[in-house]
Amino acid sequence: MPVKVVVGAQWGDEGKGKIVDILTKDADIVARYQGGHNAGHTVVVDDTQFILHLIPSGILHPDKKCIIGNGVAVDPSALIKEITELEKNGINVNDNLFISKRSHLIMPYHKFLDMSMENVKGGKKIGTTGRGIGPTYTDKAGRLGIYVLDLFDKKIFKEKLELNLSYKNFIIQNLFKSKVFNVDDILNEYMGYAEKIERYVTDTKLMIRDAIHKGERVLCEGAQGTMLDVDHGTYPYVTSSSTTAGGACTGLGIPPQKIDEVIGVAKAYTTRVGEGPFPTELKGKEGGLLREEGGEYGATTGRPRRCGWFDAIVVRYAGWINGMKAMAITKLDVLDKFKKIYICTEYKYKGRSYTEMPEEIDIIENCEPVYKEMDGWMKNSVGITDFKLLPDNAKRYIDEISKLVGADATIISTGKKRNETILI
């Protein structure tokens, strides 16, 4: 079966963009199945850095078809900007990009409501990027969403817009005491977007079905990580879509039995952006060193990421949820300067031991991590492409992670660049 899925095995920002870029050489189609432009995938080709938000990382390969699936929330303004930036860098988008007719549109009132709802939560903030992703998925579940295909029927688009604003404006005016949105202003703005993106819009489910029937290889790309999944993550501190491998089925229209392999991506340590529990977080000198050595600042927002030791409970949990037997470990080189390295193998809470991910958010927030201590390697690993050439302690660390997680490390990233990678 010719379908592979790449998922994040932590809280996102694991380096999925680079892994997808590497795997694209063996794919015919690369398809994004969830999320919006709140995620950023960074890929370095030679000395040029690309940050992609909506378009799959496979777009950097000239002969690959790239799909934005029905499970993705699309801000047309952000999409057009991303297309323009790629074209400026000589990347062919026009022949290679395809957008699902049934992707849901992010509207201006979604962005307003996203930030306004976050502001009223006070100390219970989620840490949203304010890009309108959550309210877009809320409307999708509430059967009020507006499809990308609606852009090309002005009458239908206006009817759906008027229905939404009939009560969105009531909330905006009466709850948030703000200026309401005008139907004609939004209509004119989005009709302008329609002209610019119409060439890319198609029935992507049919496109993927036909490709699979022909034996073509489909690589499915997730945005955030498993622990941000709306069903299986650290709810409510999650995103609003299905980030796990199951999301590839719903977000692209692929039958489960057609998925051949799931590859989980995990950093050699752990990071998290925004609010929410993070058992292995380091708030002192070591956490700061991880952040600086790893360049741990959000590709989309620039926000500093919270950093901590590798959490085997989290990644093993992600392994089961996603059915991953293979794993890509990224940013191994970031640990080069640490004399001692730690892996969380257990949580302690009120005298009880947990070796599996608890369901209760209170336990995850207040537990004490129990660590396995390992010797660091204190040698430069940047750019190594042969596993045998890694320092012995780095090899032991990789082996220990694989054993604890229950997945073989088949890809190890030793730097930012495409070629700074070990393929096992």
Side-chain angles (χ1 to χ4, degrees), residues 317-330:
Y317 171 76
W320 168 250
I321 293 295
N322 293 293
M324 70 187 208
K325 295 181 180 178
M327 179 171 55
I329 297 177
T330 62

Side-chain angles (χ1 to χ4, degrees), residues 272-299:
R272 176 164 198 166
V273 172
E275 306 300 321
F278 183 0
T280 66
E281 182 174 10
L282 297 169
K283 297 182 178 180
K285 182 179 178 181
E286 289 175 320
L289 181 58
L290 278 174
R291 183 179 301 110
E292 295 310 313
E293 289 294 314
E296 296 297 351
Y297 297 89

Side-chain angles (χ1 to χ4, degrees), residues 335-378:
L335 299 178
D336 286 352
K337 295 182 179 180
F338 289 86
K339 289 183 179 180
K340 295 291 182 180
I341 300 171
Y342 299 86
I343 302 173
C344 176
T345 59
E346 184 182 346
Y347 299 153
K348 290 283 190 182
Y349 179 76
K350 293 184 176 180
R352 182 177 172 183
S353 172
Y354 294 83
T355 56
E356 301 293 342
M357 180 57 61
E359 294 276 71
E360 297 83 359
I361 196 74
D362 183 61
I363 296 175
I364 307 172
E365 284 181 323
N366 297 294
C367 68
E368 180 184 347
V370 177
Y371 292 109
K372 178 181 178 65
E373 180 184 287
M374 299 193 71
D375 291 328
W377 43 94
M378 299 297 289

